[in-house]
């Protein structure tokens, strides 16, 4: 005997819910949608999609459905320990905030902390690059020679050098003819004339 397998025929409401879930990315203002239907549809939204729907639905508070969804997003993004700490603090201070606002505030703090961390790392790299470049650059500190020093290849010191050489030659000449003076063979004029170059006789 063949057994007939009966399948439940989906109702019109089920078909609407399934269609809405398949096209949840296109949803906007759901202000007139039954809250029971939204409780089946909105859990299939991403963070951006849920935020978009709530912003579009300005005249209705959807937190009855969305608050627990935002708590799940918070736990998934920042951890169960962090969400438990938030709950404990709200109990201590006897305050209550929507989890959508808590999620936005925590996300902003996290992004700012990451940005500061990236900036610090960037500055460290820049400092290290500057240090490496400073090692490669060699500054020349050699001072050019002073003009007062003697110049052996012409220049201001040449005339002084010639004068000193002439004096030295004259003294050597006088010393060499000193014995001859005693004998009356030479005079001072002879020394002066001997320092001049001899002309070749023709």
């Amino acid at each position: 005997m063949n057994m007939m397998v009966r399948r439940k025929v989906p109702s019109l409401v089920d078909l609407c819910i399934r269609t809405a879930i398949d096209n949840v990315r296109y949803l906007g203002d759901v202000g007139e949608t039954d809250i029971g239907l939204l409780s089946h549809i909105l859990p299939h939204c991403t963070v951006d999609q849920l935020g978009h729907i709530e912003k579009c639905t300005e005249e209705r508070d959807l937190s009855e459905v969305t608050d627990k969804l935002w708590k799940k997003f918070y736990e998934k993004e920042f951890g169960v320990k962090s969400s438990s700490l938030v709950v404990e603090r709200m109990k201590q201070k006897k305050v209550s905030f929507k989890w959508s606002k808590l999620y936005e505030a925590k996300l902003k703090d996290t992004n700012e902390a990451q940005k500061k961390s990236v900036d610090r790392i960037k500055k460290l790299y820049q400092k290290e690059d500057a240090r490496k470049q400073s090692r490669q650059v060699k500054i020349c500190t050699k001072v050019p020679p002073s003009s007062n020093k003697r110049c052996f290849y012409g220049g201001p010191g040449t005339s002084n050098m010639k004068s000193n050489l002439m004096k030295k030659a004259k003294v050597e000449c006088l010393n060499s003819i000193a014995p001859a003076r005693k004998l009356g063979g030479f005079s001072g004029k002879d020394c002066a004339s001997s320092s001049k170059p001899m002309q070749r006789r023709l």
Side-chain angles (χ1 to χ4, degrees), residues 6-53:
R6 294 184 179 181
R7 294 182 179 181
K8 183 180 179 180
V9 178
S11 64
L12 183 60
V13 174
D14 292 335
L15 291 175
C16 291
I17 292 174
R18 186 178 301 174
T19 303
I21 292 172
D22 292 339
N23 297 275
V24 69
R25 61 186 180 277
Y26 302 115
L27 295 180
D29 187 356
V30 294
E32 298 181 0
T33 307
D34 183 76
I35 197 71
L37 296 177
L38 293 176
S39 63
H40 292 286
I41 298 170
L42 297 183
H44 297 272
C45 292
T46 63
V47 173
D48 294 336
Q49 291 169 353
L50 187 61
H52 174 70
I53 291 172

Side-chain angles (χ1 to χ4, degrees), residues 106-119:
K106 183 66 174 180
L107 184 63
K108 183 178 179 181
D109 291 342
T110 302
N111 291 337
E112 289 179 353
Q114 289 179 349
K115 185 177 182 301
K116 289 180 180 179
S117 178
V118 170
D119 291 340

